[in-house]
Amino acid sequence: MYDKQYQPIRSSGFLDGKFPQLPAGVFEYVKAHGEERITWQPRKGIRMAMVVLEAAYPAAGFIALGRSLNEIESREAQLSTMVLMCWLVAMGLITVAGLIQFMYINRQNSISKENILS
């Protein structure tokens, strides 16, 4: 929770041992529009998905809810690896099937030639 001067007054999360301080522009946008959904990177290696709402409480001006994007980014990386592995397996199977078909056709052609010659 943030007060009307954009200062944090309560939080369940900490950044460097302190309450996280969002940029003032976020609060100004929320004042004008009532809500903002952002991704926030307070420093390298830390990214948050945030929703900031204007509060209807006398003590609080804004409520911010957030979640770390580390888990999501990790899952995206795992998914990309799985897609690549599946693609490689599919290309391998297609190659093997092509080689088997090529060998079968060559064998059929050689049997046909032998029958014609004999």
Side-chain angles (χ1 to χ4, degrees), residues 2-3 5-7 21-32 52 62-64:
Y2 292 81
D3 64 18
Q5 288 75 41
Y6 315 149
Q7 297 304 309
Q21 179 62 57
L22 293 171
V26 172
F27 298 109
E28 291 166 8
Y29 183 90
V30 172
K31 266 188 179 178
V52 184
F62 304 91
I63 297 174

Side-chain angles (χ1 to χ4, degrees), residues 25-101:
V26 172
F27 298 109
E28 291 166 8
Y29 183 90
V30 172
K31 266 188 179 178
H33 298 93
E35 177 182 322
E36 174 68 315
R37 296 168 188 257
I38 60 170
T39 57
W40 178 47
Q41 185 171 354
R43 71 167 186 252
K44 186 175 173 80
I46 297 177
R47 288 188 59 225
M48 305 287 293
M50 306 278 304
V51 176
V52 184
L53 306 167
E54 194 165 16
Y57 303 110
F62 304 91
I63 297 174
L65 307 162
R67 176 186 170 148
S68 173
L69 292 174
N70 287 344
E71 181 66 26
I72 293 166
E73 290 169 343
S74 173
R75 287 182 184 187
E76 285 177 351
Q78 289 174 351
L79 179 62
S80 296
T81 301
M82 288 181 352
V83 167
L84 175 63
M85 296 301 290
C86 289
W87 182 81
L88 290 172
V89 168
M91 292 300 110
L93 290 173
I94 289 169
T95 302
V96 168
L99 288 172
I100 290 171
Q101 184 177 9

Side-chain angles (χ1 to χ4, degrees), residues 100-113:
I100 290 171
Q101 184 177 9
F102 178 75
M103 290 169 39
Y104 178 78
I105 290 171
N106 279 344
R107 184 172 176 214
Q108 292 298 321
N109 287 341
S110 67
I111 291 172
S112 295
K113 287 180 186 176

